[in-house]
Structures are given as C-alpha cells and as structure tokens.
Amino acid sequence: MSPSAASTWRWGALVQRRDFLLAAGAVAALSFVPGVAQDAWNRVATTYPPAGGLSEAHLALVSAISDAIIPRTDTPGATDVGVPAWINVVVAGYYTDSQRAAFLDGLAAIDALAQGTAGAPFAAMSSDRRERVMSILDRPNAFERFVLRLENSHMAARIVSRSAIERMLAGLAQEARAYAWLKGLVVHGYFTSERVQKEVLRTVIIPGSFDGAAPMPLGYLRRGV
Amino acid sequence: MTRETMSYDAIVVGSGISGGWAAKELCERGLRTLVLEAGGPIDARDFVEHVQPYEMPFRGRGDRKALERDHPIQRECYACDEVAHKFFVNDNENPYTTPNEAPFRWFRGRQVGGRSITWNRQVYRWSDLDFEANAKDGHGNDWPIRYADIAPWYTYVERFIGVTGAKEGLAQLPDGDFLPPMAMTIVEHHAREKLRTAFGGERVMTIGRAAVLTTNHNGRLACHYCGPCHRGCVTHSYFNSIGSTLPAARNTGKLTLRPHSVVAEVLYDPARDRARGVRIIDARTLQEMEFEARIVFLCASAIESTRILLNSRSTRFPDGLGNSSGTLGRYLMDHHYGSGAHGTMPGFADKRTVGHRPNGTYIARFRNVKSQRADFLRGYGMHGRSGRVGWERGASLPGYGTSFKQSLIHDLGEWNLAVEGWGETLPHENNRVTLDPDVKDKWGIPAARIDVRWRDNERAMDKDMAASAAEMLEAAGCKDVHAYVSTHPPGHCVHEMGGARMSRTPKDGVLNGRNQAWDAKNLFITDGACMASSACQNPSITYMALTARAAAHAVAEMKRGEL
C-alpha cells in the first residue's frame, strides 16, 4: 500500500486538461497525500496482525471462503489482493465485542456445517467439496437478502433504525449471519482494494465531466485513462 | 480578562455560509471587520475528497470506535465519514441536552468555513407562496418581507457563488441566475417526461440547483466530478466561504480573522442602548477577552446564535439580549425529510453514468400550490437520485465463484430511481432552545437545551411524501417500488432554523425585516436563526441573500449616523 506511488497514475487524466494546467496551484494541492489518511494507515500497518483479530485457523477459513466467493481468474482473486488481512482489521478494530463474538461463533458454525456435510474443515477440503458447502451457505431466503441489503447499505438508516437491523441479524442462524457479514466484507474488501480499483475497474478519480447516458458495456472496463 | 484595545468597525461571529457573506459585504463596503471563528483554521491541504477507499483503514466505513468515542452524535450525519469527521465537532467538548422523549440531532462543524465545507450545496429560491404562508394559515407570525425584497439579493448572491440549474418558469420555485445545468441521467430524462404527461405538467422533475460550478467562474475552476464534495474541494469548485467570500473579504485589506475564538455573549451598553461588542473565550488558552465594534453580526448558526443571545444577560435584559418579546429561542424548525420511495427502472441496460455528479434531481413543490388539501398545510419538494449500483450490489446478490465475480465486474445491475421529500415544518412556540441550567461546554458556556418535536402536520405530510413518491415512480415506469416513511428525528436534516425570528413589530419577534435586533439596532442576526418559517427549500441561499441585504442596510445606516 503506497498512496504516493499511485500519484502519477491518479493524475494522468488530469494533466491533459488545460483548465487544470492553468491552475498550477491546484495541481500542487492535488498531489498532496492527506495526512489523516496516511497517519491512519501507518497506525494499522505497523500493528498488523491486529490484537484481538483472527487466529491462524480462522484466517485460513476466511481465506478459503473469500476465494470461493471471488476466485482468481484472468483478474486477481480475493486473497491475491489481501482481502483476509482487511477482514482481520475489521474484526479487530471495527466490530463491537458482541459482533466479533458472533462472527467467531459463526465461523465455528460454518466449519461444523462443513464437517457435517463434507467430513472436513472448510479450509482443508477439496474444491468439489467446498462447492457443496458453498451451495448450502449461499442460498439466502428473501428475509436474509433483505437483512443483508440493509446491513450493507449506507442508505438503510433512512428506512430502518440500526437497532432494528441488529435485531433482524440476531434472528439469523449463526452460520448464515457470519456468512452474510463475510460476503459483504469480501465484496467490499475486494472491489475497494488498490489493485482492483486500478487494474480491474480502472477507476478514474478525476473524470472531469459527467455523462448520464454513456454507452455500455465496453467503456466500463476498457476506458483508458 | 483581557480587553482588546483596538476596536473594529464591525464584528462578525462565525465564518461559515452566513459569516463569510457578512465579512465580504462589510469589508467591501469599507468596514474594518473582525471575524471570530470558534474553530481552527483550515486550508486546501486539509481537504480529503481524493482519498481513495484503499487509503483508508476501514475502506470508507469509518473508524467506528473512534467515531463512537469522539463523534457519537455527529457520526449519524452522512458527511461525518472516515476522513471528513474532522470537519465535525467533538461531541464531548460540545454537549447539548434534550428531553429523553424528544431526541434532536445537532450536526456542527467548528472550523474556519464552518459547515460551508460539508454542506450539500443545494440552493433554491423561496417565493411568495413561502413568505405569505404564515399570514395565510395563521401558524407563526407574518414575515416582514416578501419575495420582491429578497429577489435582487438572490441574484446578487448567485452571480458571485455560481449556481448550476435549469430554468423551469415555476412561480413556486423562481428561476435564478444559473450557470449551465448538469446533465440528467437517461433514466431521469425518461422519468421527467413520464411525470410531465402523467400529472398534467403539475409535477416537474428538474436537475438539482446547486452551488457547484459547471464552468470556470470568478477565478474558481469548474467541477471535475470526483464526487465527495463534503470532504472539501481543492479547486474550490463548490461554494464554501474559505474559497470565495473570505478571500474576497481579505482582498480588501479590511479583514481580521481570529480563529479559536469561542463567543460567550454579546455585550450591551445601556447608556447608548447598543451592543458594545462581544466577550470570547480563547479556545486554546481559555483566556477571556473582549472585542468592541460599532456593529455586531451574529452568524454562528441558528442554535449557536440563539444560545449566545440567551447567554447575553444584563440588568436590562435578564432573559437574554433580544428577548424583550419572549420569543427568543422559540419557533425552532428543521425540515422533516427522507420519506419517499425507491424502485428499479427496467431497460436502459446499454447505458451507464460516467463521472460522479455532485447533485441530484428536484421535484418542485406541487402540494397546496393551487388548491388546499385537507390532511396537511404547506408542502414539500422532492430530491431524487438515479444510477446503477455496480459491484456494491454483490453483498446481497446470491451467488459466488467465477460467474458471480464476472457479473460484478462486467455488469452494473439495474437502474435505480429514488425520490424523497423535504417538508416544511410549521413554526411552533414550544419547539425551542433554552440554556441548560446544569450542563456547560468545554469553555464553561451553558449548553443548549433543545426541545423540538414533529407534530401532526409533519407526520401527515410524511405519509403523503411516501405515497406520492411511490405514485410517481410507478407512473415513471419503475418496478419493485418500495415506499417508506422516515424515522429521522428533528435536526437530522441540518436545516435547523428559527429561534430569533424576524417580525413586523417588536412584540412578535427578535429582528426587524432587515435582520436588525429590536433590542439593539446595531446588532444583526443573519443566519438561520432569523427565519420566521421554514418553507421546504434548502435554506442556505436565503441566509446568504438576507446577510448581504442586511450588511448593505447596516453600512447605509452607519453612514447616515444612525448606528
């Protein structure tokens, strides 16, 4: 992770814009790496693995499920871009004590399900067997999908209070709740990673304009900076 | 206590949306002006809008533990995120109280620029439908001004700050002096046309009117569409005071800006029957100081300005300066908002958005414009948004493995469309702010005690917002339409206003029609505190226009020797 190394890439689009070049002061300011983000990162980077995070066994399970959700293809998979390490940061530094306990209990329940269904801990089994376990874990009913959408949406608070979401989550089976959280974290961690943002999504940080009716699908992936 | 020996022509309390305008207008009219800001200085290097998710430890979800410790209330505001929380006050240093059964969210920023750094930038003119409302239905007092009084000042402000928008010719939402409009999405175009035909032209969905530049303007650059304006803007492409009004004030050579200056009270001189100056507490040294000036502008925000006045007690004004009428602190309002509906729009799969438009759509008020409903008074406007969710839908999308991954990368999911109401709140005398008898802030100033409640009219309007939103989305062709009624407590919209209302007579309010205190004619309150009703439009541009108008009036009276 190196925000400053990214600066050439980040402002590639920008320096082609005459307006921005005219504003030399603005360009200087743009290349500034904000202290607040850098400080926070240094804090996390120097304390990894975090106290109160996942054990080796938990990390192995989280890694295996992460790659089952987002495997390596022609683009990186979840563990290739450090998703389990980020999940560790969330479990240690973001979750409340009760969320962390529920998450760890849920991981144990997932492994119990794996034992019962396919005779081994999830991380230790072949890909065929993992497929069998995944097909059981990943079949949310309508209620679970609804709770998931609320849990993972910033806008949810407009509709339902946080405590109501917590109550609904508490109503899910242990393994279903842990898997729901895990899937949300895997998707978020993967697509917000530096490599995926740059190499897969090719996010343009300074688009310079807005188009409300741009063509699909080619541009989404292939739009050069 | 230190008394500042040098005195000023004018003191402005607050450096945000209103204070910046007061500073600019007073300085440009030749007054040596002292701006007192409770928070510290910031500059463009403090802005964090280009921080990417992978540069944040929690990838944009926020440092929950730190936020719960330092910002337990502020964190409920969408803009108080993982990096922009620094533009919000520390709740432990800045307490306020409410009755247990009447929660109120008070979201605040103390820094040079105030909440103009984090505001949502939506700007809509009021019309006479709004200024006449109190007089017509008897809730609140009659405004001492009408649209004609403020219209030229709206234009004046718009030309300086730069407002993007489209002219629609609606009497209830007057057009302004607009920069080119931002583009609507293809789905918004579609919805606009469907609504026009389905509701006989009565419901107009227009592109949002925002203080964001779509062309270079007054030395500031056009928007580069990076997205999160609430984190600041290194190119000053949206209006905030530190990028436009305060530099204009500074250019006159008349401005003195003093950060870390927490104003405790306005000092009153009974011999002259005027405000004498202000008493402050230095935020860092806790030292008390006094500053004197010929005129004082309070622009600290509705509740802060009201709190300062309530705390300005003297023999002549034992219940607070400006409170001769007994109305000071009363008739506090906010917009009740967020009730509406969302749905998905079939089709348009070959189209997407490129760039992050820092603006949505707006449906002008259509309730109680031509005819009066039985279930509620006044009305609401509706903010809307549309787009395709993209990979974020993956968290709740069934599936895993290669095909799941590829669909999140290559497909953006369906188009979504949502519209939500922002509703007028009736002025009510029991919606009020007082001083808490026990709780004080870090600087020893009595905390605000806030008691504001939604009442029957607001609740009835919320239901109608949800129903009309669903009706419009269905008329537009949406599927899976889901209507909802908001649960936000008062204050959550960050449009708190009232507390020191304008009035036609000294017995009905705190200020005259020029924002001048009835109790001390050299004291002006030009932020949201002055509002006698709330209308349904986002209010900031009205504060700006009233501030500029009041400043012109103040300087004219000074020149005539009347202040």
Side-chain angles (χ1 to χ4, degrees), chain A residues 1 3 9-11 19-20 23 30 32 34 36-37 40-41 43-44 68-71 73 75-76 86 89 92-96 131 134-135 138 145 148-149 152 155 157-159 183-185 187-194 197-198 200-201 205-216 219-221, chain B residues 45 47-48 50-65 83 86 183-186 216 221 223-226 234-235 337 342 349-357 385 388 391 394-402 404-406 408-412 415 420 422 482 484-488:
Chain A
M1 172 52 234
W9 169 82
R10 293 165 88 195
W11 313 124
D19 289 350
F20 279 95
L30 282 166
F32 180 81
V36 61
W41 253 114
R43 213 166 49 239
V44 169
I69 294 170
I70 301 190
T73 56
T75 51
W86 180 67
V89 168
Y94 186 94
Y95 278 174
T96 61
E131 172 63 34
M134 285 299 290
S135 70
D138 196 296
R145 277 206 302 280
L148 261 173
R149 216 160 59 225
N152 289 299
M155 304 307 290
R158 295 203 173 185
I159 311 170
K183 188 166 176 183
L185 291 173
V187 169
H188 191 83
Y190 180 77
F191 284 100
T192 58
S193 70
E194 186 169 9
Q197 286 275 316
K198 291 180 179 178
V200 181
L201 299 177
I205 296 168
I206 311 287
S209 62
F210 174 76
D211 185 346
M216 277 285 283
Y220 184 50
L221 262 187
Chain B
R45 283 172 299 179
F47 290 156
V48 283
H50 297 131
V51 175
Q52 293 305 295
Y54 46 84
E55 293 168 338
M56 298 182 243
F58 298 102
R59 302 278 177 89
R61 294 187 170 193
D63 186 341
R64 183 189 59 79
K65 290 177 181 175
V83 287
K86 63 180 178 175
M184 288 180 125
T185 67
I186 191 163
N216 294 350
L221 292 173
C223 176
H224 52 269
Y225 299 92
C226 73
V234 291
T235 57
Y337 83 114
H342 63 74
D350 60 336
K351 293 289 191 285
R352 68 194 169 107
T353 57
V354 171
H356 307 282
R357 187 185 66 191
R385 57 187 185 273
R388 304 180 74 172
W391 59 260
S396 54
L397 191 71
Y400 55 89
T402 302
F404 174 74
K405 176 188 177 187
Q406 296 300 81
L408 294 185
I409 292 173
H410 293 282
D411 187 10
L412 296 170
W415 281 89
E420 294 175 345
W422 262 241
H482 175 69
Y484 43 89
V485 172
S486 164
T487 58
H488 292 320

Side-chain angles (χ1 to χ4, degrees), chain B residues 536-551:
Chain B
C536 64
Q537 295 92 323
N538 306 56
S540 295
I541 195 171
T542 298
Y543 308 162
M544 295 193 233
L546 289 175
T547 301
R549 178 173 173 269

